[in-house]
Amino acid sequence: MKKKYTLGVYEKAMPSDLAWEEKLLAAKEAGYDFVEISIDETDAKLSRLNMAGEERLKLQHLMIKTGMPIRTMCLSGHRKYPLGSSNPDTAARGMEIMEKAIRLAEDLGIRIIQLAGYDVYYEDSTYDTKKRFLKNLKKASEMAAAAGVVMGFETMENDFMNTVEKAMKYVALVGSPYLNVYPDIGNITNAAKTYENDVLEDLELGRGKIVAMHMKETLPGKFREIPYGTGHVDFKSAADKAWELGVRKYVTEFWHTGNPEWKKDLHFANKMFTDILEQCQEESEND
């Protein structure tokens, strides 16, 4: 059976002190198709946006050498520098991060940038922050369009954008083929419990606009570091729905928390989701 999907792993599932070559080789050894790079709010991760040309070339060569590409980017640096910030300097820094992230994606062959789905994070959301967020999103979408890099909103853990339905509001308001949704199924599951909504109905509202999906485990009120199989996410039904909606790119999002046998965690997650996605593919071919 020819494989019709790709499965990636979040960079933070591996120890942070590993060199890029070690991370790429570990992902390959575990059976993944690609790695998702993290550009979070820390200075260390944000500094990647200023990588010199030689460093970018070296990373490209490593991807070719190891046979393990970096194909998606989790851009959570906007948590600290949000596009809707009331502070003009902070919002400007957010736009600078956006521009540099798109350029880095273009240089490294990254196809999808996952955007943090909130106007602000460490300040109160207001009418003005929402308006500024939308205005800057339109500018970001024009930059992405020029580069040919696709962006997708992550459904977050806060009320502003914790469902596909809420993300689709801004997708519709911007109206660019380069701004879509990249949902986190764990966060959506938690939101569905909070609002007494249906997870699959929420995914349906993103039809034609879902570019990839984060496969993350959660529990009510808990959004991080929940081991697979110990939470409440129904991954098979979510994968079935995503497959029906045309989603073919998935990322296992989990964190290395110090386990010395972290490579076993990589293998476990890969096998778990490979089994689910192969089943989705087989069932769709038998329909």
Side-chain angles (χ1 to χ4, degrees):
M1 182 173 68
K2 186 180 177 183
K3 187 172 156 183
K4 295 181 179 177
Y5 64 88
T6 52
L7 179 63
V9 62
Y10 186 42
E11 177 192 349
K12 289 185 180 181
M14 297 173 273
S16 60
D17 58 355
L18 294 183
W20 265 118
E21 186 168 3
E22 293 173 299
K23 288 179 181 176
L24 297 177
L25 286 171
K28 184 177 184 181
E29 184 187 313
Y32 285 99
D33 301 305
F34 66 96
V35 171
E36 179 162 279
I37 188 173
S38 166
I39 306 290
D40 65 22
E41 63 188 293
T42 63
D43 291 339
K45 293 288 199 297
L46 287 173
S47 70
R48 290 173 166 180
L49 299 177
N50 299 318
M51 242 189 260
E54 284 182 8
E55 287 180 87
R56 295 175 191 225
L57 196 58
K58 184 182 177 185
L59 190 47
Q60 286 175 336
H61 286 161
L62 279 177
M63 288 189 261
I64 294 167
K65 178 184 173 184
T66 59
M68 178 54 52
I70 298 168
R71 283 294 174 258
T72 56
M73 175 193 295
C74 179
L75 180 60
S76 53
H78 283 140
R79 181 186 296 231
K80 188 174 181 181
Y81 302 102
L83 300 182
S85 178
S86 300
N87 183 322
D89 292 338
T90 302
R93 175 75 170 121
M95 286 305 291
E96 180 191 7
I97 287 168
M98 189 75 257
E99 186 175 2
K100 288 181 176 180
I102 290 169
R103 198 176 305 141
L104 182 64
E106 195 177 11
D107 287 350
L108 296 182
I110 290 168
R111 306 296 196 259
I112 301 168
I113 296 175
Q114 184 185 52
L115 289 181
Y118 35 65
D119 55 339
V120 290
Y121 191 81
Y122 295 116
E123 58 183 284
D124 291 335
S125 179
T126 66
Y127 176 83
D128 287 337
T129 62
K130 290 171 187 171
K131 283 296 180 187
R132 195 173 299 107
F133 177 63
L134 178 58
K135 181 182 176 182
N136 284 331
L137 267 181
K138 289 177 178 176
K139 292 178 184 176
S141 296
E142 288 175 2
M143 290 190 285
V149 174
V150 172
M151 302 187 297
F153 279 125
E154 181 175 16
T155 47
M156 306 306 294
E157 71 283 358
N158 59 5
D159 287 337
F160 182 75
M161 196 183 288
N162 53 358
T163 64
V164 172
E165 181 180 14
K166 291 178 180 179
M168 284 299 293
K169 171 187 172 181
Y170 284 91
V171 169
L173 287 170
V174 172
S176 167
Y178 290 89
L179 181 65
N180 299 277
V181 188
Y182 181 164
D184 181 314
I185 193 59
N187 293 350
I188 289 174
T189 300
N190 277 4
K193 295 287 184 187
T194 300
Y195 303 136
E196 296 188 359
N197 287 344
D198 185 282
V199 172
L200 305 186
E201 285 180 9
D202 189 46
L203 287 173
E204 175 64 38
L205 294 173
R207 182 175 286 274
K209 291 292 183 179
I210 299 179
V211 292
M213 182 180 283
H214 260 181
M215 306 303 255
K216 187 182 78 178
E217 185 70 276
T218 55
L219 283 166
K222 295 182 180 179
F223 296 86
R224 290 169 62 96
E225 300 175 4
I226 308 297
Y228 287 122
T230 67
H232 67 149
V233 179
D234 184 346
F235 290 109
K236 179 59 169 68
S237 68
D240 283 340
K241 185 62 181 177
W243 192 278
E244 182 210 325
L245 294 171
V247 181
R248 297 293 182 270
K249 207 165 195 66
Y250 301 85
V251 172
T252 58
E253 187 188 25
F254 60 106
W255 287 264
H256 171 65
T257 56
N259 180 7
E261 297 192 331
W262 57 271
K263 286 188 177 181
K264 287 186 178 178
D265 294 337
L266 291 190
H267 281 270
F268 176 84
N270 179 272
K271 184 176 187 317
M272 175 177 172
F273 288 100
T274 295
D275 289 349
I276 288 172
L277 292 169
E278 283 184 354
Q279 201 176 340
C280 289
Q281 181 175 327
E282 192 174 340
E283 288 167 357
S284 71
E285 289 175 353
N286 291 335
D287 282 348

